[in-house]
Structures are given as structure tokens and as C-alpha cells.
Amino acid sequence: MNAFELAFNALMCRSVTDKIKLVNQLHTFKDQLNLNYQAKYPIISVKTPGRPEKPNLVRFQSIPKRDKSDLGFIKTIHAICHIEFNAINLALDAVYRFQDMPNGFYQDWIKVAFEESQHFQLLNNYLIELGYQYGDFDAHNGLWKMTHETDYDVLARMALVPRVLEARGLDATPKIQKRFENSNFKPMVGLLDIIFNDEIGHVKIGNTWYHTLCQQRSLDSIQTFDQLIQKHIGESLRGPFNIEARKLAGFSEKELNYLQAL
Ligand SMILES: [Fe+2]
């Protein structure tokens, strides 16, 4: 089985249920050592990955600020569910696009895709329990934008998607959990615990490969990161950072000092 072809098919799949099935399959084939990581597959730029017709994608700014009503909380759950859906595609794109990496790279990102699909299902099932489902509210497209913009180099991708976007989730989750703690949606606290723990692992995978690539290219990891942030984001990262979680996720002492100095 060509790992890249299977990852591409899952990435482009527009049905939520079929995408989850394809990700499960890919994950099983990986565990059974049935994947070929040597055979190449045509690499195309993916402006729009496979996603269902709904949710409508809107500019980030045009999503109204969420209030403290029950509906506000449900919209927050939907927004996190959307992040997890995107995260499946982010991981699949990492598998598909960079076809000259060691096998361990693909195995790592297939595992991430699988865990993201589990997160998505946890949240979507909870939404269904509440009488809603994924697609019921508008959502934004920021995560894929950065993925698409970093499709020219695996080092830029590792620097900016897991280490910036996904790591932001580590910073934000404890605060979001606190809000859910005092709401009618307490089960979210437990769901976010599961997601948070897995997410530390995902950022760690990003850090491991980012550091490996910097070493291979004799690049300073902080300087390179700083240049990529300027190039793609144009301004310094904003804290506060969850230093404890980021430490667990493999940011070095130096990198944490760099973040805290911002
Ligand atoms: Fe996730």
C-alpha cells in the first residue's frame, strides 16, 4: 500500500464518515507494517482539502464574540470540533506532501491523524447528544491557510503548524476548561483533558522533527523559528504561554526563554 496515496485520498475525502474510515484504515495498515513509504505519489498544492459543505467558512473577524449563554458554550464546542476536523487534514497533509522523510515521520503523523479523528468524534458525538452536529455553525479557515502557506518546506511546516498553531491549543485549553467547569457542559472538562494530553504528544512530534531538520541543515533552531515567524505571521507570538505543557511537548529551555522574552 502506498502510504502517500492513501493519505492523499483521506485528505481529499469530503465526507466526514468516509474520511474517518480512511484514517482508521491508514492507521491499521501502519500498525500492521503494510505501508510503503518509498513509492512516490504526485505532489500537488492543495488549496482546499476535503471537507463537507458545512460548516460555512467565514473570515475569523466575522464570527461574533461568544457569550456566556448555553448557545455560546455550544458554539465554543463546535469551534473546537472544527479545529479537530482541520487537524485531521493537517496531519494527513504532512504525511502526503513531504515524501523524502524517514519512515518514522510518516508513522508519527499517521498516529496524529488518527488521534485527531478520535478527538473530532468525541466532540461531534457530544454535540449530537446536545441536539447539534458539526456544520451547524460558521467556522474559520485559519488553520488550513497556514498549512497551505508552508507546503514548500517541511521545516517551515513543522515550525509553524505544530509548534505555533497546535501549541496555542496547549496555552488556551486550561482557561477554556475553567469556563466549562462552571457551565452546563461539564463533560467538556474531561474531553478536553483527553485532547490536551494527546496534543502535548502532537506538539512533541512537531518539535522532534523540527529540531532534527534544523540539525541536519546546520540551522539555529531559534533564529530559524524567528525568521519564519516574521515571514509568515509578521509579528511576534503573543503569550501567555503554558510553559509547563510546552516543556512536556519538547520545547527546549532556550526556546522557552525566547518565548517568554517576547
Ligand atoms: Fe486534536
Side-chain angles (χ1 to χ4, degrees), residues 38 100 194 204 257:
Q38 267 69 47
D100 50 5
I194 299 172
K204 194 169 185 177
N257 290 339

Side-chain angles (χ1 to χ4, degrees), residues 7 11 26 86-97 105-106 108-114 116 144 147 157 161 166 202:
L11 172 68
L26 189 62
N86 271 282
I88 305 171
N89 282 339
L90 307 190
L92 289 171
D93 191 80
V95 175
Y96 154 67
R97 183 163 308 283
F105 178 87
Y106 308 115
D108 278 350
W109 286 102
I110 290 170
K111 177 173 172 260
V112 174
F114 175 73
E116 302 294 14
W144 186 260
T147 307
R157 172 68 59 82
V161 174
E166 297 194 76
H202 302 174

Side-chain angles (χ1 to χ4, degrees), residues 84 87 116 119 195 199 202:
E84 299 300 342
E116 302 294 14
H119 298 168
I195 292 174
E199 227 58 63
H202 302 174

Side-chain angles (χ1 to χ4, degrees), residues 45 75 203 247:
S45 175
K75 284 184 180 175
V203 177
K247 212 181 266 179

Side-chain angles (χ1 to χ4, degrees), residues 26 32 62 64 66 81 90 95 106 134 141 154 162 182 194 199 221 233 247 262:
L26 189 62
Q32 295 170 341
S62 66
R66 289 176 205 109
C81 189
L90 307 190
V95 175
Y106 308 115
Y134 180 55
N141 200 24
V154 60
N182 302 307
I194 299 172
E199 227 58 63
S221 75
I233 301 177
K247 212 181 266 179
L262 291 175

Side-chain angles (χ1 to χ4, degrees), residues 103-190:
N103 291 0
F105 178 87
Y106 308 115
Q107 288 157 347
D108 278 350
W109 286 102
I110 290 170
K111 177 173 172 260
V112 174
F114 175 73
E115 288 179 355
E116 302 294 14
S117 79
Q118 302 268 318
H119 298 168
F120 170 79
Q121 290 175 87
L122 285 175
L123 295 168
N124 196 30
N125 288 342
Y126 187 44
L127 280 175
I128 290 168
E129 233 175 82
L130 297 170
Y132 294 83
Q133 64 171 326
Y134 180 55
D136 281 355
F137 303 101
D138 289 348
H140 69 84
N141 200 24
L143 289 171
W144 186 260
K145 196 168 163 279
M146 181 61 90
T147 307
H148 181 57
E149 283 171 10
T150 53
D151 68 5
Y152 65 95
D153 185 7
V154 60
L155 184 135
R157 172 68 59 82
M158 292 299 110
L160 296 176
V161 174
R163 284 167 43 95
V164 174
L165 300 186
E166 297 194 76
R168 251 179 216 160
L170 300 182
D171 302 330
T173 303
K175 277 172 247 162
I176 299 173
Q177 280 180 304
K178 239 177 235 161
R179 277 171 42 212
F180 276 111
E181 188 74 60
N182 302 307
S183 76
N184 294 324
F185 307 93
K186 266 205 186 147
M188 274 301 285
V189 178

